[in-house]
C-alpha cells in the first residue's frame, strides 16, 4: 500500500485511539504510579506499542527541551509543591484540547455521604419503597409541580415527617386547583362544541328553507315576518352571496360584459404606469381630481393591508389578482369616486361570497347607496348629518356614555368613519362582520349606525372608565373575543326611535333644517 503523507509540522495527530501531547509529556516527566513510600520505581512501565513514525512525530512535538506540559503545569507564582498522591482509578476529566489527569479531590459517592451523615447523627433513614410513592394519584400535572413529593437526593438530609406532610398537603392543594381548572376548561370546550353543533344544525335546516322556499319566491317572501326573523339569525354561508346580491339589487344595470370592458381598460392603464415610479408620485397622482383613474396604483398599496391574517389577498395568494381586478374595474367605472381606502375590505368580503362579475356588480351598487356614496366621496356636509343623526339615538339609548364622551369632546367621526368605510369588516371578526352584513342588506344604512350603538352598549362599563386617548384606541381596535350572541343581544336592545321618530325621519328632519339654514344664509338677489 502507498505510504501516507507525513503529518504537517507543528500539528498533533488527532485520533480517538491516541493520547495527546500533554499525556505523553506527563508520562515522560512523572510516573503514573508511585509506591506508598513516595519513591519512584526503578523503571517506569513502558507505554503501549505505537507505530514508529507516529511515535517519532509525537516525541518530536512533545520533546525538545521544555515541553508544552511544563509550560501549562508550571505556576506563575511561587508556591509550595505538593507531593504527588497515588492516582485513583476513575474517569479522567476533560479539557478543550484533550484528557487531563484525574482530579485529586474526587466527589464522594452519595451512598458514602449518606453513611457519613447517619454515623454522625445516629439517625437511620429508610426511604419508602417505590411502589408506595404516589400510588393513589389520579392527576399528574404536566410541569414540575410533582417534584415537591420527590425524596431528596441521598447526599442530602432526609425530610422530616412534618415537612413531608406539609409538602403532601401543598401538593394536594395544587392538584385540586389544577383539576378545577381542567374541569372548568373542559366544560367550556363542551359548551362551545354544543353551541357549534347547534348552530350547524340550525344553519343546515335554515339552508333548506332558503333554497326550497324563500329564494324561489323572493319578491313575495322577502318582507314577511318569518323571513325577517330567519334573516336576523344569520344567513347560511351557502346562500349568503345570493341573498346579498338580491337584497342589494342592480339599479345600475351592470352586466358581466360591462365589467369585462372596464377591467380591460384598467389593465391598459396599469401598463401605462412606469414600474419605477415612486410611492410619492403614486400618491400625488391618486390625489389628482382631474384624473381619478390614476388611483389604480393606490390599489396595489392597499391590497396587502386587506385581511393580512388570511394571506389569501396578499401577493401570490389565490384572491390577490381577483381583488385587484374588481377594484381596478370600479376605479375606471367611477372615476368621479376613484379608489378610497377601505374599499378593498368591502370588495374582499364580496369576493369571498360571490363570483368575480357578481362581486363587481354588488360592489358598484352597494357603493352607490346614499350613505356609502357620501362617505366615499367625502361629502362633509352629508357626513355631518349622519353623525348628528347618530348622536340623537346615542343620547336616547346611552345617556351616561353620551355625556362621558361629551365631557372629553369625543365626536362620532373619530370611530364611526372607520366602521362605516369598511362596513365593520376591519373592526370585527370576519364571521361576525358577515353576520352584520346580513342584516345590513335587510335593513339598510340604519343598521350600520344601530350596530355602532350596540358596540358602545356592549362595552359601556369599560368605556366609562377610560379617557379620550384610551377610548379612541379601544374603539379603533375592538377586542377579538367579541361574540355574535353578545353583540346582537346588545344591538336588539337599541331602540332606533326618538320622540316617535324613526331613523329615516330624524335624518330627513336634519336635512330639512340644513336646507332652511342655507336659504337663510344665502345672499339676497341683486336688484
Amino acid at each position: 500500500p502507498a505510504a501516507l503523507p507525513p503529518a504537517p509540522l507543528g500539528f498533533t495527530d488527532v485520533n480517538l485511539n491516541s493520547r495527546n501531547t500533554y499525556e505523553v509529556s506527563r508520562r515522560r516527566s512523572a510516573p503514573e504510579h508511585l509506591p506508598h513510600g513516595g519513591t519512584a520505581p526503578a523503571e517506569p512501565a513502558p507505554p503501549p506499542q505505537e507505530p514508529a513514525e507516529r511515535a517519532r512525530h509525537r516525541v518530536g512535538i512533545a520533546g525538545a527541551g521544555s515541553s508544552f506540559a511544563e509550560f501549562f503545569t508550571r505556576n506563575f507564582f511561587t508556591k509550595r509543591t505538593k507531593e504527588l498522591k497515588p492516582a485513583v482509578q476513575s474517569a479522567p476529566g476533560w479539557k478543550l484540547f484533550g484528557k487531563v489527569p484525574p482530579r485529586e479531590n474526587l466527589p464522594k459517592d452519595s451512598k458514602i455521604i449518606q453513611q457519613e451523615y447517619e454515623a454522625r447523627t445516629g439517625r437511620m433513614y429508610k426511604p419508602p419503597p417505590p411502589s408506595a410513592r404516589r400510588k393513589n394519584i389520579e392527576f399528574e400535572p404536566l410541569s414540575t409541580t410533582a417534584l415537591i413529593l420527590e425524596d431528596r437526593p441521598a447526599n442530602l438530609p432526609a425530610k422530616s415527617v412534618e415537612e413531608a406532610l406539609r409538602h403532601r398537603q401543598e401538593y394536594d392543594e395544587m392538584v385540586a386547583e389544577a383539576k378545577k381548572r381542567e374541569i372548568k376548561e373542559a366544560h367550556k370546550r363542551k359548551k362551545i362544541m354544543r353551541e357549534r353543533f347547534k348552530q350547524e344544525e340550525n344553519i343546515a335546516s335554515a339552508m333548506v328553507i332558503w333554497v326550497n322556499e324563500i329564494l324561489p319566491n323572493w319578491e313575495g317572501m322577502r318582507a314577511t315576518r318569518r323571513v325577517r326573523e330567519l334573516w336576523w339569525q344569520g344567513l347560511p354561508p351557502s346562500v349568503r352571496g345570493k341573498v346579498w346580491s338580491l337584497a342589494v339589487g342592480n339599479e345600475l344595470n351592470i352586466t358581466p360584459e360591462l365589467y369585462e370592458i372596464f377591467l380591460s381598460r384598467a389593465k391598459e392603464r396599469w401598463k401605462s404606469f412606469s414600474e419605477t415610479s415612486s410611492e410619492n408620485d403614486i400618491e400625488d397622482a391618486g390625489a389628482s381630481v382631474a384624473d381619478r383613474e390614476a388611483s389604480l396604483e393606490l390599489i396595489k398599496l392597499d391590497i396587502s393591508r386587506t385581511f393580512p391574517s388570511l394571506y389569501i389577498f396578499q401577493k401570490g395568494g389565490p384572491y390577490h389578482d381577483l381583488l385587484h381586478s374588481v377594484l381596478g374595474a370600479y376605479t375606471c367605472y367611477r372615476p368621479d369616486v376613484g379608489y378610497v381606502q377601505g374599499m378593498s375590505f368591502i370588495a374582499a368580503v364580496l369576493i369571498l361570497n360571490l363570483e368575480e362579475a357578481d362581486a363587481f356588480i354588488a360592489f358598484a351598487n352597494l357603493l352607490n347607496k346614499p350613505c356609502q356614496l357620501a362617505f366615499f366621496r367625502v361629502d362633509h356636509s352629508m357626513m355631518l348629518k349622519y353623525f348628528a343623526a347618530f348622536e340623537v339615538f346615542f343620547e336616547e339609548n346611552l345617556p351616561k356614555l353620551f355625556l362621558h364622551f361629551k365631557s372629553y369632546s369625543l365626536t362620532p367621526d373619530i370611530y364611526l368613519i372607520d366602521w362605516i368605510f369598511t362596513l365593520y369588516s376591519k373592526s370585527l371578526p370576519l364571521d361576525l362582520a358577515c353576520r352584520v352584513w346580513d342584516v345590513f342588506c335587510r335593513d339598510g344604512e340604519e343598521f350600520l349606525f344601530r350596530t355602532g350603538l350596540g358596540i358602545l352598549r356592549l362595552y359601556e362599563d369599560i368605556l366609562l372608565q377610560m379617557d379620550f386617548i384610551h377610548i379612541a384606541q379601544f374603539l379603533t381596535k375592538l377586542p377579538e373575543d367579541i361574540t355574535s350572541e353578545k353583540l346582537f343581544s346588545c344591538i336588539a336592545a337599541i331602540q332606533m326611535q326618538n320622540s316617535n321618530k324613526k331613523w329615516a325621519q330624524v335624518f330627513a328632519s336634519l336635512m330639512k333644517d340644513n336646507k332652511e339654514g342655507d336659504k337663510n344664509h344665502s345672499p339676497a338677489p341683486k336688484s
Side-chain angles (χ1 to χ4, degrees):
L4 293 174
L9 186 61
F11 293 93
T12 58
D13 182 20
V14 179
N15 193 298
L16 293 176
N17 297 323
S18 65
R19 299 178 181 268
N20 60 13
T21 305
Y22 182 85
E23 193 73 19
V24 174
S25 303
R26 185 182 63 81
R27 201 184 305 114
R28 287 165 55 89
S29 59
E32 291 186 2
H33 301 284
L34 290 175
H36 295 289
T39 58
E43 291 184 2
Q49 295 295 326
E50 291 183 347
E53 184 172 347
R54 181 177 298 178
R56 286 195 304 273
H57 174 67
R58 200 180 302 278
V59 171
I61 295 175
S66 60
S67 64
F68 284 106
E70 293 173 354
F71 177 78
F72 285 113
T73 55
R74 69 185 176 88
N75 294 324
F76 288 96
F77 302 98
T78 58
K79 191 177 181 181
R80 184 181 298 176
T81 57
K82 295 183 178 180
E83 188 178 356
L84 291 174
K85 296 182 179 181
V88 181
Q89 291 184 355
S90 65
W94 286 91
K95 278 195 175 181
L96 183 62
F97 296 106
K99 295 181 180 179
V100 297
R103 290 177 295 179
E104 295 180 359
N105 297 325
L106 293 174
K108 295 181 180 180
D109 185 74
S110 60
K111 293 183 178 179
I112 299 175
I113 295 175
Q114 181 68 19
Q115 291 173 1
E116 292 177 354
Y117 171 76
E118 292 173 355
R120 186 171 63 254
T121 60
R123 293 166 54 184
M124 297 293 292
Y125 171 70
K126 295 182 180 180
S131 59
R133 292 184 184 179
R134 301 189 236 158
K135 64 179 181 179
N136 293 326
I137 295 177
E138 300 176 356
F139 177 80
E140 284 293 338
L142 299 177
S143 67
T144 59
T145 305
L147 290 178
I148 196 173
L149 292 180
E150 294 289 342
D151 298 320
R152 289 201 182 102
N155 59 342
L156 294 177
K159 292 181 182 180
S160 64
V161 178
E162 295 80 6
E163 188 178 12
L165 290 175
R166 190 178 74 252
H167 286 177
R168 162 61 66 178
Q169 184 179 0
E170 292 174 359
Y171 176 76
D172 291 341
E173 291 174 357
M174 288 187 286
V175 169
E177 289 296 325
K179 278 186 178 181
K180 288 180 182 178
R181 288 196 300 270
E182 284 288 328
I183 293 172
K184 187 176 180 180
E185 291 176 1
H187 285 317
K188 187 177 180 180
R189 287 193 297 267
K190 287 181 180 179
K191 183 179 179 182
I192 292 174
M193 291 301 296
R194 283 197 301 267
E195 291 176 353
R196 186 174 298 173
F197 289 146
K198 184 179 179 181
Q199 186 179 9
E200 290 177 356
E201 290 176 359
N202 293 337
I203 289 173
S205 59
M207 183 187 65
V208 175
I209 298 173
W210 279 98
V211 172
N212 297 333
E213 300 179 28
I214 301 174
L215 290 178
N217 306 292
W218 173 254
E219 293 299 331
M221 295 189 65
R222 63 176 298 180
T224 61
R225 182 177 180 179
R226 180 193 177 199
V227 173
R228 289 181 65 84
E229 290 177 354
L230 199 61
W231 210 329
W232 176 269
Q233 297 172 8
L235 297 172
S238 57
V239 300
R240 175 169 279 152
K242 180 66 175 177
V243 175
W244 286 358
S245 296
L246 293 172
V248 172
N250 188 11
E251 295 179 354
L252 300 174
N253 295 320
I254 302 175
T255 61
E257 292 75 20
L258 188 64
Y259 165 66
E260 293 296 335
I261 292 172
F262 285 107
L263 178 58
S264 62
R265 183 180 298 180
K267 290 180 179 178
E268 291 174 2
R269 296 293 304 231
W270 287 327
K271 290 180 182 178
S272 66
F273 285 108
S274 173
E275 295 180 357
T276 59
S277 60
S278 64
E279 292 187 5
N280 293 331
D281 296 337
I282 293 171
E283 291 178 0
D284 293 340
S288 173
V289 180
D291 187 11
R292 285 296 186 94
E293 291 186 16
S295 61
L296 285 171
E297 285 298 307
L298 287 174
I299 298 171
K300 292 182 180 179
L301 303 176
D302 214 25
I303 285 181
S304 60
R305 307 168 190 162
T306 305
F307 296 120
S309 60
L310 295 181
Y311 298 104
I312 56 177
F313 296 106
Q314 313 306 307
K315 191 168 185 179
Y319 291 121
H320 174 270
D321 296 338
L322 194 58
L323 180 59
H324 201 194
S325 299
V326 170
L327 294 173
Y330 179 79
T331 306
C332 292
Y333 173 69
R334 291 297 299 266
D336 59 317
V337 179
Y339 176 76
V340 181
Q341 282 189 340
M343 287 183 177
S344 60
F345 281 89
I346 298 176
V349 174
L350 291 171
I351 287 171
L352 290 174
N353 292 276
L354 291 165
E355 296 296 329
E356 182 177 353
D358 295 330
F360 174 78
I361 294 171
F363 180 70
N365 281 276
L366 188 60
L367 297 193
N368 199 51
K369 302 294 182 182
C371 180
Q372 278 64 50
L373 203 58
F375 275 80
F376 283 111
R377 296 183 72 171
V378 197
D379 188 340
H380 291 286
S381 61
M382 285 291 291
M383 291 172 68
L384 290 175
K385 302 299 178 298
Y386 280 108
F387 295 149
F390 174 81
E391 286 194 305
V392 169
F393 293 96
F394 187 4
E395 185 178 12
E396 181 75 19
N397 287 273
L398 305 168
K400 288 179 61 178
L401 189 61
F402 177 79
L403 293 176
H404 184 66
F405 278 27
K406 281 292 183 182
S407 66
Y408 287 108
S409 300
L410 200 149
T411 53
D413 58 289
I414 294 175
Y415 50 91
L416 269 184
I417 286 180
D418 192 45
W419 293 352
I420 302 301
F421 264 106
T422 61
L423 300 181
Y424 296 96
S425 56
K426 181 182 177 183
S427 306
L428 297 175
L430 184 57
D431 56 341
L432 182 52
C434 288
R435 178 93 182 269
V436 171
W437 278 46
D438 292 343
V439 189
F440 163 63
C441 291
R442 187 194 77 170
D443 296 347
E445 64 187 34
E446 173 187 333
F447 188 73
L448 294 179
F449 297 94
R450 190 181 180 188
T451 300
L453 292 173
I455 293 173
L456 297 179
R457 182 185 179 90
L458 179 60
Y459 297 110
E460 180 179 11
D461 295 337
I462 299 174
L463 295 171
L464 285 172
Q465 308 299 323
M466 294 182 177
D467 57 9
F468 181 94
I469 297 297
H470 291 92
I471 291 173
Q473 291 176 345
F474 183 87
L475 294 179
T476 301
K477 184 173 178 57
L478 296 171
E480 296 180 358
D481 60 349
I482 184 172
T483 61
S484 59
E485 291 78 12
K486 292 181 179 179
L487 178 59
F488 271 78
S489 64
C490 291
I491 294 174
I494 298 296
Q495 299 297 321
M496 297 301 285
Q497 193 166 346
N498 175 261
S499 300
N500 296 325
K501 288 184 178 180
K502 295 184 177 181
W503 168 269
Q505 295 170 323
V506 171
F507 187 76
S509 64
L510 290 171
M511 292 292 293
K512 184 179 179 181
D513 294 341
N514 182 63
K515 289 180 180 179
E516 291 178 356
D518 292 341
K519 288 181 180 179
N520 294 333
H521 291 86
S522 60
K526 294 180 180 180
S527 56

